Amino acid sequence: MQIINPATEEVIQEVAEDTPETVAGKYQLLKEGQKHWAAKPLEQRIGAIEKFYALLDERKDELAATLTLEVGKPLQQSYNELNGARKRLEYFIKNAARWLAEEWITEEDATREKIVYEPLGVIANISAWNYPYLVGVNVFVPALIGGNAVLYKPSEYATLTGLHIRQLLYRSGIPENVFQAVTGKGPAGEALLDLPLNGYFFTGSYRTGKHIAEQTAGKLVPVQLELGGKDPLYVMDDVDDVNAVAEAALEGAVYNAGQSCCAVERIYVQENIYNKFVETFVALAKKLVTGNPMDKKTDIGPVSRKEQLKFLAGQVEDARQKGGSIMSGGAEPKGKGYFFEPTVVTNANHGMKLMTDESFGPVIGIQKVKDDDEAVQLMKDTPYGLTAAVYSKSFDRAEKVMKQMDTGTVYWNCCDRVSAGLPWSGRKNSGLGATLSYHGIRAFVQPKAYHMRG
């Protein structure tokens, strides 16, 4: 399997793909190792993650460079991702023992009662390429702390990063028979679905997540899916600083070239500030520098997958044909690399694919609305349910909108962010289950009830 640099289209490296036979062999190795790992004291398992935490900082230059080379995100954003991953590790390190400790329910009655938390067993972590460290540590870290063994499949677009993660975990004291990486494309991932694993944790597209859920349903094991979104942002007419809101909304839309499940994907602006918002938003978008992600001046790197270019161009052309105004960008720059110009479409409406289908790129549509009721109606017009953002001076007014959002996360005067202490979850086509917070620690264990008399 060739690893391609999306900025240059050059082959970085070739990596052997796993076969169904090698995947099955790795599972057998983990099946035995998990029992011994689960028997180790919780403090020892957490201690290994503390070493991993330190190594992410010690090796950050190499790790960031590799991430940028194979995924294409600007180098500073790769450093930001590593720093963000370490913050999440801090949360798990500090809080895991609290949420995994046995709980006494009744200690003084004739029958004493308590709950203990036991590992699921051997779980699959089928991870994503857009934030391989952030979405990875959400799963394999609490899984390992909880006493599970992990069969980890990095995306084929982030393979080298996945192999770095494997190496650092081994150096941190995680045994090889507790963590194994599976490399390859779709067939390698499909092989995981044929194994008698004790849980499946996937981050990626709705289509693939639905397939995994269907293929594993008969096993009656936990299946957790972190899927995509069509995340709306609404700007009310009472905001104190329209220019500052436009700047925040633009960053939420194009950070990491818009390749984030919680990126701002559609914007609604109340009519009496619409023109001012658009003017600022477009002016800022035109200043963004698209180019070599290793250059510190670059704001927008390439998209990670070549086939995404045609998809994005199709969304923009569809909007153009349906009356949208292309205010900036809208095309692929000439030359090598999978680049797409940051694109702003105004006069947008829900007849356009840009406003209804997930984009996952540096393109955004802006639609004018007359009031909060119309904004709510449009924000809810989606099969997805990941995040929704509202900008307003009044929390009470914003809260009325947020309460009507059928999403796992809502934002007031911020967007496109994740906190380790809060659950990260999707509704409808955005997924099942939750990572992060105590929900994301207990997702990898199962309760056992003790009734004790005597």
Side-chain angles (χ1 to χ4, degrees):
M1 181 177 67
Q2 293 184 331
I3 310 300
I4 307 293
N5 182 335
T8 64
E9 302 185 48
E10 296 174 348
V11 177
I12 304 171
Q13 191 174 324
E14 293 189 353
V15 177
E17 291 194 66
D18 272 296
T19 65
E21 291 74 23
T22 61
V23 173
K26 290 177 178 181
Y27 164 70
Q28 290 299 328
L29 183 67
L30 296 177
K31 189 177 179 182
E32 287 303 312
Q34 187 271 326
K35 301 172 186 176
H36 300 288
W37 180 246
K40 293 185 180 298
L42 175 60
E43 294 75 15
Q44 185 173 335
R45 301 198 298 264
I46 293 175
I49 299 304
E50 289 178 325
K51 293 176 183 176
F52 179 64
Y53 169 86
L55 285 171
L56 285 180
D57 185 55
E58 181 182 315
R59 298 274 296 275
K60 62 184 176 183
D61 292 337
E62 176 189 6
L63 301 179
T66 298
L67 181 56
T68 291
L69 283 173
E70 69 173 343
V71 173
K73 66 178 62 188
L75 185 60
Q76 184 56 54
Q77 294 184 21
S78 291
Y79 280 110
N80 293 347
E81 181 175 348
L82 286 164
N83 290 333
R86 295 181 79 241
K87 288 180 180 178
R88 295 186 189 181
L89 290 178
E90 286 180 2
Y91 177 84
F92 290 129
I93 290 167
K94 293 178 180 178
N95 292 282
R98 172 188 176 191
W99 296 109
L100 296 177
E102 65 178 31
E103 294 180 83
W104 281 97
I105 306 302
T106 303
E107 293 189 67
E108 298 177 355
D109 291 351
T111 302
R112 294 177 297 147
E113 301 168 344
K114 71 175 181 177
I115 304 169
V116 300
Y117 295 94
E118 299 179 341
L120 298 174
V122 181
I123 64 108
N125 175 195
I126 306 172
S127 199
W129 51 264
N130 58 330
Y131 287 99
Y133 286 102
L134 289 174
V135 300
V137 302
N138 287 1
V139 175
F140 64 73
V141 168
L144 290 169
I145 289 176
N148 300 278
V150 179
L151 198 50
Y152 167 69
K153 186 194 178 299
S155 165
E156 61 266 34
Y157 299 102
T159 298
L160 301 182
T161 292
L163 295 179
H164 275 316
I165 287 171
R166 180 186 67 178
Q167 179 194 37
L168 295 186
L169 285 172
Y170 290 167
R171 285 189 58 189
S172 302
I174 304 296
E176 291 187 26
N177 63 358
V178 172
F179 186 93
Q180 283 286 313
V182 172
T183 58
K185 300 181 181 180
E190 198 71 31
L192 295 172
L193 308 184
D194 296 328
L195 295 172
L197 299 177
N198 303 112
Y200 290 85
F201 297 80
F202 169 75
T203 303
S205 70
Y206 163 74
R207 180 179 177 182
T208 302
K210 183 172 181 288
H211 173 72
I212 291 172
E214 291 172 344
Q215 293 300 306
T216 59
K219 300 180 183 183
L220 300 181
V221 298
V223 176
Q224 190 157 293
L225 308 172
E226 184 180 330
L227 309 179
K230 191 64 183 175
D231 305 296
L233 181 148
Y234 173 39
V235 186
M236 294 179 173
D237 61 357
D238 65 348
V239 292
D240 285 323
D241 189 337
V242 174
N243 294 339
V245 175
E247 184 176 2
L250 178 63
E251 182 178 17
V254 303
Y255 190 87
N256 196 32
Q259 298 170 120
S260 171
C261 54
C262 59
V264 176
E265 290 236 348
R266 49 198 173 110
I267 298 174
Y268 306 97
V269 184
Q270 221 164 347
E271 57 189 6
N272 55 342
I273 60 167
Y274 177 83
N275 290 338
K276 184 177 181 181
F277 178 91
V278 165
E279 180 183 359
T280 302
F281 193 95
V282 171
L284 291 170
K286 288 181 176 179
K287 293 179 182 179
L288 294 170
V289 177
T290 302
N292 178 7
M294 299 299 287
D295 189 330
K296 292 182 179 180
K297 297 179 181 178
T298 296
D299 299 302
I300 309 292
V303 296
S304 299
R305 300 169 298 160
K306 185 175 184 179
E307 60 269 24
Q308 190 69 1
L309 295 174
K310 182 178 179 181
F311 177 83
L312 294 172
Q315 281 199 340
V316 173
E317 181 57 28
D318 173 75
R320 189 198 310 271
Q321 291 179 5
K322 294 173 179 175
S325 300
I326 315 302
M327 304 299 292
S328 70
E332 302 172 36
K334 294 181 179 179
K336 289 282 188 179
Y338 310 151
F339 293 95
F340 199 89
E341 297 170 343
T343 301
V344 182
V345 178
T346 59
N347 299 320
N349 62 68
H350 276 222
M352 302 172 183
K353 295 178 182 178
L354 179 67
M355 298 298 283
T356 57
D357 297 346
E358 187 177 18
S359 300
F360 226 65
V363 300
I364 189 72
I366 307 177
Q367 182 168 349
K368 183 188 300 183
V369 297
K370 61 181 179 180
D371 55 27
D372 296 355
D373 289 340
E374 183 182 11
V376 167
Q377 181 182 2
L378 292 167
M379 294 169 81
K380 292 172 67 175
D381 181 25
T382 178
Y384 294 100
L386 192 60
T387 80
V390 181
Y391 280 76
S392 172
K393 182 166 61 176
S394 167
F395 175 75
D396 290 340
R397 184 179 170 193
E399 186 182 32
K400 290 178 182 177
V401 173
M402 292 188 290
K403 282 184 174 181
Q404 296 179 73
M405 296 297 104
D406 190 11
T407 59
T409 293
V410 289
Y411 304 111
W412 176 47
N413 291 340
C414 58
C415 61
D416 188 32
R417 72 184 302 273
V418 181
S419 171
L422 296 176
W424 187 247
S425 62
R427 300 181 183 181
K428 301 184 290 185
N429 289 4
S430 290
L432 297 170
T435 54
L436 299 176
S437 78
Y438 71 87
H439 294 278
I441 294 173
R442 287 188 172 169
F444 300 94
V445 292
Q446 48 197 338
K448 177 179 283 185
Y450 276 71
H451 303 251
M452 299 169 288
R453 184 176 297 171

